[in-house]
Amino acid sequence: MIRTFIAVELDPVFIEKIRDIQEKFEDFDLKFVKPEIVHITLKFLGDVEESSIPSLASALDSLLCEPFEAKIEGIGVFPKPANPKVLWIGASGAFGALHDEVEKVLKPFNFEKDDREFTAHATLARVKFLKKSQKGAFLDALRDLKDITLGSMRVNKVLLKKSTLTPEGPLYETLHTAYLD
């Protein structure tokens, strides 16, 4: 079994900007995602049989979604500012339609459908622990960056990724690239 997910990678031009954002939060107890691997997850598949990868790849090749322009902008937290667990950068564009199309082509595989409404975002860090005395400063940093814009990028492919968890953080490997047209 291999741990897998479907994602859109961010344009490498955003790596330094992501690093700059993360530096604004380095005084807090966060586990940062390496800027080089920050991505937008369209669907987490979990553990799948290695033998099913060709079928998953073929399903992704049948996606009916045209390439689109996306803006990487805005910063926020899940689930809510009063209790932050995940720090993220937002993404706008046709991600909702792309997510729905991914759900549609994967329906025959009986993966669990996402319960929550899809919100296009890229995780920058997970909040390990936030002292009460730090919450105000954390929310101030969040507020200062809420309107940040990293820039635009063209979304023209979706990646089937393998995730290997290590003590140093996850290692990702692209198993298949499905091009949008």
Side-chain angles (χ1 to χ4, degrees), residues 39-55:
H39 63 274
I40 297 165
T41 300
L42 294 170
K43 183 159 185 72
F44 178 73
L45 304 179
D47 290 331
V48 300
E49 294 285 343
E50 201 158 347
S51 60
S52 67
I53 297 302
S55 300

Side-chain angles (χ1 to χ4, degrees), residues 133-154:
S133 61
Q134 291 182 310
K135 197 167 269 188
F138 181 85
L139 295 175
D140 286 346
L142 204 56
R143 217 174 356 265
D144 291 346
L145 293 168
K146 76 177 173 50
D147 295 325
I148 193 164
T149 298
L150 271 60
S152 296
M153 62 179 251
R154 186 117 177 106

Side-chain angles (χ1 to χ4, degrees), residues 56-57 59-63 156-160 176-180:
L56 288 168
L60 290 173
D61 285 339
S62 73
L63 286 169
N156 60 2
K157 61 188 173 188
V158 169
L159 305 168
L160 175 60
H176 181 73
T177 302
Y179 292 92
L180 305 179

Side-chain angles (χ1 to χ4, degrees), residues 14-24 35-36:
F14 300 138
I15 290 173
E16 280 309 311
K17 292 177 182 178
I18 289 169
R19 192 170 280 121
D20 291 345
I21 292 169
Q22 289 176 331
E23 282 176 8
K24 306 243 190 286
E36 304 79 31

Side-chain angles (χ1 to χ4, degrees), residues 29-115:
D29 193 8
L30 306 182
K31 181 159 179 57
F32 293 102
V33 177
K34 291 178 188 146
E36 304 79 31
I37 64 170
V38 170
H39 63 274
I40 297 165
T41 300
L42 294 170
K43 183 159 185 72
F44 178 73
L45 304 179
D47 290 331
V48 300
E49 294 285 343
E50 201 158 347
S51 60
S52 67
I53 297 302
S55 300
L56 288 168
S58 179
L60 290 173
D61 285 339
S62 73
L63 286 169
L64 296 175
C65 186
E66 293 190 5
F68 60 92
E69 286 299 312
K71 273 183 115 172
I72 308 304
E73 61 187 353
I75 198 162
V77 294
F78 289 136
K80 56 189 177 195
N83 184 27
K85 297 291 179 206
V86 173
L87 175 68
W88 52 261
I89 187 95
S92 60
F95 288 104
L98 180 55
H99 171 263
D100 292 348
E101 184 65 16
V102 167
E103 287 281 8
K104 188 173 106 184
V105 302
L106 294 182
K107 195 170 178 142
F109 295 91
N110 295 318
F111 288 109
E112 203 169 299
K113 196 159 172 16
D114 295 331
D115 290 339

